[in-house]
Structures are given as structure tokens and as C-alpha cells.
Amino acid sequence: MNHQWGDIYQVTLPLPFALRMINAYVIKGSSGVALVDAGLNIDMDVQAWQEAQAAADWKWADVEKIVLTHYHPDHYGLAGTLQQWTGAPVYLSRIDHEQAQLFFGRKSQMPETMKSFFAFHGLPDAWVAQIPAHLRSFHPWVEPHPQVTLLEPGETIRMGDVEYEVLHTPGHADGHLSFYDPNRKWLIGGDFLLPKITPNISLWPECHPNPLDNYLTTLARMKELEVSRVFPSHGPVFDHYVERIEMLEKHHADRLREMKAFVVEKAGATAFEVCQHQFGSNHNIHNLRFALSETLAHLEYLRIRGELSVEERDGIAYYMACAA
């Protein structure tokens, strides 16, 4: 347990990959507690939850609901186990419930789809061969899957003694939800807005075809909301809300400009070549998957805007500058 703000307690859960940790939240009320996000189904996170119980004086039987901002493993993974221990409903958006099964269902063909997808965009064979086993390696971290109660944007949900507005904040995940307390103007933002790192915006097969446009639209819409404090999933709680949104808008504008300039300079490049130019080549398969998918989100944004085109050569896609 790191910090407390009124009825909201932060729980820091360790992760066995680059992010290193995720913030979950316990919201205490007069009749019980709500948990926001779950961590992974790993011993370290179970221990962290047990330490959080001791620090803030609550028990599994006190949990009224488990609310997930989105389906990514570090948010979703332990939810099924927590549901078994608490008997509490697990809330998630319809889109992200479907995508949890798409990416982590045992019968899903996404590992093979992703393998073909990355090969088409220039990922070398030695990396392509690692994709299916890498994606399936997440299964133990997210099982058992919870029984989900669907949560729709525009609804409200009581967490503790507060009615939070349910806001759709897509980009990082298609069905990403954030939760807004209009009285205190507090936002539990998941991975929508982070204080120190930029949320990963990735293009995945069978998901939103223009995730960067989706995210930039979210930023512009959410900038109008009056927010005094943000409770993020990674990094410290912060209050420079509009400033942070504007920093991220500039970040993506700069990255789009850099990627387009590289494609123009090379007179055509694969997404993998652009990825290496932008992010370097010192990656493991986990980080490379995210770097390449983020590169594709930017390249597709430019293509859909008519600033780039795609040409297929020998089964590989090359992004090209459009004629003036």
C-alpha cells in the first residue's frame, strides 16, 4: 500500500516485465470496498494484495465489486481469482470483454493471426516464429477468466460511497474505461493518461483500424473535462491534467512527423524498418511487439489521412510517400 487520498487507497503490484509495477486502487465505503484493476495471476501480486489488506484493514469478504479499466493482462489477469475469493462481480466494458477472449482465449487463433500480420509488415522470420508462443505465454497470468458484468459508458457505478461516471477513453485499448467523480473532480484513469510515460497506442488485427486517431480524439474530448486529480495505473497520482494531455498531443505530432520523414527519405520502408529507426533494435519479443504495433498505429494514421500509401512487394507491405 503506497498512499491514501480520502477513501482511495493505492496498491502497487509488481510486474515481471518492463513496466515493473501497476497501481490498483481500493475504494472504501460504509458497506464495503471496491477494487479497481487486479494485477497478474502471479504470487507477487497475490502477496501485494494480502499486504494491502493488512495495511488498510479490509478482507476479501468486504469486496463488493471488482472494476477493470481494460483487458490488458496487468489489469485483468488476477480478476478471475479475486472473484473466486470474494464472490464479487467483475465489471468490464463489452469491447474489452470480447478482446480479452480474442487475445487470451485458449481457442483463439490470434497468435497465428498476429504472426502473419507482423510478417506482412516486415518482421524478420526469426522474430515472427516467436510470436505464437509469446502470446500464449500470457495464459497462466490471466486465468481463470472472470465472469464479467458488462459496464457501458454513460452509466454510473458506485465505488465506496461515491457514484462515478463511466467514461469511454479508448486508444490504449478499444474499450478502455475511466471513472470520474464529478464532485471532487477526481479521475481514475487507468492507462488513458499517465504522468511520466506515454500510453502505448497499438494497431492490432481485428481491433480498431485507426487507434491513434481514436486516442487523439479521446484526448481532445477529455481535455474539456474539469479534473483536479488523476489516479493513473503507472506512475504517481498527479494534477497537471490539461498540461499532460497537451504534452501527449505534441509527442504524437512529433512522432508522426519523424516517421513520415523517414519513409520519405528512404523512398519507402516497412513498418519494421520504421520501428527500428524510431525505437532502436535492442528489444526482446515482448517490447518489440509493442514497438512495432505502435509504429503501425502511426503509419496507418498517416495512410488513412492520405499522407502515405502502402505497396505490397513479395508479400511484404511498404509504406510510401504519396505524390504531392
Side-chain angles (χ1 to χ4, degrees):
M1 186 74 65
N2 282 8
H3 301 286
Q4 176 187 354
W5 297 264
D7 58 336
I8 299 181
Y9 297 76
Q10 185 185 69
V11 182
T12 300
L13 306 171
L15 300 173
F17 40 76
L19 283 172
R20 296 176 54 191
M21 60 187 59
I22 174 180
N23 301 324
Y25 294 95
V26 176
I27 305 178
K28 297 186 78 173
S30 55
S31 62
V33 304
L35 310 183
V36 180
D37 288 331
L40 295 170
N41 190 2
I42 56 176
D43 290 342
M44 290 188 297
D45 287 5
V46 171
Q47 181 179 343
W49 276 116
Q50 291 169 341
E51 292 169 355
Q53 288 180 313
D57 189 26
W58 58 278
K59 299 178 176 63
W60 294 129
D62 299 328
V63 177
E64 297 178 310
K65 53 177 67 83
I66 300 161
V67 182
L68 306 181
T69 57
H70 59 296
Y71 77 94
H72 291 164
D74 50 330
H75 300 255
Y76 174 91
L78 194 58
T81 298
L82 292 178
Q83 185 174 54
Q84 291 179 345
W85 291 344
T86 63
V90 172
Y91 293 86
L92 182 67
S93 71
R94 180 184 302 276
I95 295 171
D96 274 25
H97 175 51
E98 293 169 354
Q99 292 192 356
Q101 299 308 310
L102 177 65
F103 281 87
F104 308 124
R106 288 277 178 171
K107 296 180 180 179
S108 173
Q109 293 304 302
M110 179 57 79
E112 285 68 34
T113 301
M114 195 85 78
K115 177 180 177 181
S116 300
F117 176 72
F118 282 146
F120 180 66
H121 286 290
L123 187 65
D125 291 345
W127 287 111
V128 167
Q130 297 181 47
I131 291 294
H134 167 63
L135 289 177
R136 291 192 169 98
S137 73
F138 284 90
H139 287 156
W141 288 350
V142 301
E143 292 174 342
H145 291 273
Q147 293 295 313
V148 166
T149 300
L150 297 179
L151 191 56
E152 298 293 340
E155 295 181 359
T156 63
I157 186 167
R158 177 171 287 272
M159 295 190 286
D161 294 326
V162 175
E163 288 286 340
Y164 286 81
E165 297 176 4
V166 180
L167 306 179
H168 187 206
T169 49
H172 176 70
D174 290 354
H176 192 291
L177 299 176
S178 298
F179 304 96
Y180 180 64
D181 172 2
N183 294 317
R184 294 180 291 191
K185 306 189 188 320
W186 288 5
L187 183 73
I188 301 174
D191 283 351
F192 150 63
L193 194 68
L194 305 176
K196 294 184 176 181
I197 61 174
T198 57
N200 175 261
I201 310 300
S202 283
L203 180 74
W204 306 117
E206 301 181 36
C207 297
H208 195 285
N210 195 352
L212 181 56
D213 182 72
N214 209 14
Y215 185 59
L216 294 176
T217 300
T218 297
L219 289 178
R221 172 173 50 83
M222 290 293 287
K223 195 191 296 189
E224 304 303 314
L225 191 68
E226 186 177 352
V227 174
S228 64
R229 181 171 289 163
V230 181
F231 296 83
S233 292
H234 306 283
V237 170
F238 66 100
D239 59 9
H240 56 291
Y241 176 73
V242 172
E243 177 187 352
R244 185 59 182 151
I245 287 176
E246 291 175 346
M247 290 171 65
L248 289 177
E249 289 173 329
K250 181 180 184 302
H251 164 81
H252 287 292
D254 290 344
R255 180 158 287 174
L256 287 164
R257 188 164 49 251
E258 292 161 5
M259 289 188 185
K260 181 179 178 181
F262 178 76
V263 170
V264 170
E265 177 190 348
K266 300 293 287 186
T270 66
F272 177 69
E273 290 169 338
V274 179
C275 177
Q276 283 196 304
H277 171 74
Q278 196 72 41
F279 296 106
S281 57
N282 185 25
H283 296 289
N284 57 33
I285 189 62
H286 180 84
N287 294 339
L288 178 57
R289 179 168 62 91
F290 283 106
L292 182 52
S293 294
E294 173 125 355
T295 300
L296 279 161
H298 287 75
L299 293 173
E300 278 298 288
Y301 178 88
L302 292 167
R303 184 190 66 80
I304 291 167
R305 285 174 58 90
E307 298 184 46
L308 296 178
S309 62
V310 171
E311 177 181 308
E312 184 177 339
R313 304 177 201 158
D314 299 323
I316 305 293
Y318 288 81
Y319 285 87
M320 316 289 293
C322 290

